[in-house]
Amino acid sequence: MEVNFCLSCGTGLETREVGGEQRRACPACSFVHWGNYSIGVGALVMKEGKLLLVRRAQNPGKGNWTNPGGYIEQMELIHETIKREVMEETGVEATVKRIVAIRDLPRSIHNLYIAFEMEYVSGEPKPDDVEVDAAGFYSLEEMASMNVASFTRWLVDVVVHADTEGLTVDEHPIVPMDGYGLYRAPAAK
């Protein structure tokens, strides 16, 4: 879908070169449409050697078992998004441990997906009965006979075999940056 009107002032957009690419830009103000993007997040929550999975009740992926997740809100930090999504879909409280994987999927809406390993805090899995119709903690052996989505199978492999600390939340950056969500590789020991 092509963007036809400026999101800032409503003027009809024109196509012109901006930054070496043909882009939709406003002739009346400085607005440039840089493209269509979405950012998804996914949770890998372990409890007693089992991973939290949900069964999708809607398409895409209806009937597949996946890790809980969703899309960020405009004014929400990603580590808050993933905690909210896990709680909404399963009733489980979990906190961010580290980023373990990123998927980059260029298409008409360029999708970036950030997978978090999370620490289980509390709660028993209960599906929201809207987005998911089942939820629970499952072992690798149990997953072998389940209809687990291929991307989720890949993520499970990533988290089970990760031998580094991944990217962790920088709670004490050397320069205060209020409102930023900062993640960094662990400092050398």
Side-chain angles (χ1 to χ4, degrees), residues 64-115:
N64 287 328
W65 287 90
T66 66
N67 53 294
Y71 292 97
I72 66 165
E73 297 291 341
Q74 184 69 37
M75 299 302 290
E76 187 175 48
L77 293 169
I78 60 175
H79 66 275
E80 294 298 326
T81 298
I82 195 56
K83 291 190 310 188
R84 174 183 54 78
E85 286 288 349
V86 171
M87 179 59 76
E88 286 177 2
E89 289 185 2
T90 71
V92 168
E93 182 182 355
T95 58
V96 169
K97 201 170 166 186
R98 62 185 175 156
I99 294 174
V100 292
I102 295 175
R103 181 196 67 201
D104 183 21
L105 184 59
R107 56 184 184 186
S108 62
I109 299 175
H110 192 133
N111 179 252
L112 185 67
Y113 183 96
I114 304 165

Side-chain angles (χ1 to χ4, degrees), residues 16 32 39 62-63 65 81 85 98 104 116 134-135 149 161 168 185 188:
R16 67 173 189 251
V32 175
I39 303 171
K62 184 176 181 176
W65 287 90
T81 298
E85 286 288 349
R98 62 185 175 156
D104 183 21
F116 293 87
H161 295 102
T168 58

